[in-house]
Amino acid sequence: MLAKSVLLAGCMVATLATGAYAAQQTYVVGSGGTYRPFEFENSQKQLEGFDIDIIKAIAKAEGFDIKLVNTPWEGIFATLNSGDRDIIISGITITDKRKGMVDFSAPYFPAEQSIVVPTDSKVDSVNSLKGKKVGVVNSSAGDIVVSDTLGKNSTDIKRFDNTPLMLQELAEDGIDAAVGDVGVIKYYIKSHPEKQLKTVSDTKFERQYFGIAVAKDNAELREKINAGLKKIVADGTYAKIYTTWFDSNVPTLPAE
């Protein structure tokens, strides 16, 4: 009887130890740290942003820990295959080419382009940009669509190196409208209500999605992330995070 009790006690200890290990499992997460508001360094050199809040919420929902590491975009995918990173969340658009290198979670953010104009503007589509001065980020998806509409060599198109510069020009009335990443634009509008800007969507802009990347064929971790994402959408955490960084127009996410 004593031996049986000792055996049972030993099994319980082993089970508890296994459970504790699982609960404390830590995954190294790589994120670029230069794409506000998705991931950027604060004054303490810590990563924060929409993506950071999302992966933290997923980890909490699934009971694992994460270690965030600021990881340069160049070569970020290679860190998964080398084992230096377990997870990458860095405003990564899901594409067929990238699917050949890594496995993606279900989509967590719609990453289309958007028009941004003053709130009193009559612009309601890409076609209505004709005859107006329009800012785009050089060689971006927005540049392609606007160039197709106005003409690639149109003098009405003003090209910028990045979205913040373009939005500043719009705020200073240097251009009539701008086209850029919807997340960056929404964050700018939320952060600068005094600028009185609004977004305008158009079906000419292809809807793409951001995904969270793991190493190829790491189905177990991918499913953990998907399960956590599903939980935070269902319990309202996702909506709370989205509203904090962008606006109250919380998107409906596709399952895959």
Side-chain angles (χ1 to χ4, degrees), residues 173-199:
D173 298 323
I175 50 178
D176 301 308
V179 176
D181 294 341
V182 66
V184 178
I185 287 172
K186 283 189 171 187
Y187 176 72
Y188 183 86
I189 291 173
K190 185 180 182 70
S191 302
H192 300 280
E194 75 284 358
K195 305 293 186 185
Q196 297 187 317
L197 300 172
K198 66 179 180 180
T199 59

Side-chain angles (χ1 to χ4, degrees), residues 238-255:
Y238 179 91
K240 183 177 179 181
I241 294 171
Y242 187 94
T243 303
T244 297
W245 289 101
F246 305 112
D247 55 33
S248 59
N249 298 315
V250 181
T252 299
L253 300 174

Side-chain angles (χ1 to χ4, degrees), residues 31 33-53 56 68 187 245:
S31 195
T34 57
Y35 187 33
R36 190 184 296 264
F38 293 94
E39 47 272 327
F40 59 95
E41 282 191 339
N42 59 26
S43 57
Q44 286 76 46
K45 298 296 183 180
Q46 296 172 327
L47 285 169
E48 62 178 74
F50 175 78
D51 283 356
I52 306 306
D53 288 350
K56 284 180 177 179
L68 292 163
Y187 176 72
W245 289 101

Side-chain angles (χ1 to χ4, degrees), residues 30 47 51 56 67 74 76 85 106 118 134 154 159-160 167 177 180 184 201 214 221 233 240-241 244-245 248:
L47 285 169
D51 283 356
K56 284 180 177 179
K67 177 184 178 182
E74 184 178 354
I76 197 169
R85 306 287 184 273
V134 184
S154 171
R159 294 178 173 87
F160 295 84
L167 293 174
V184 178
S201 59
V214 299
L221 181 52
V233 168
K240 183 177 179 181
I241 294 171
T244 297
W245 289 101
S248 59

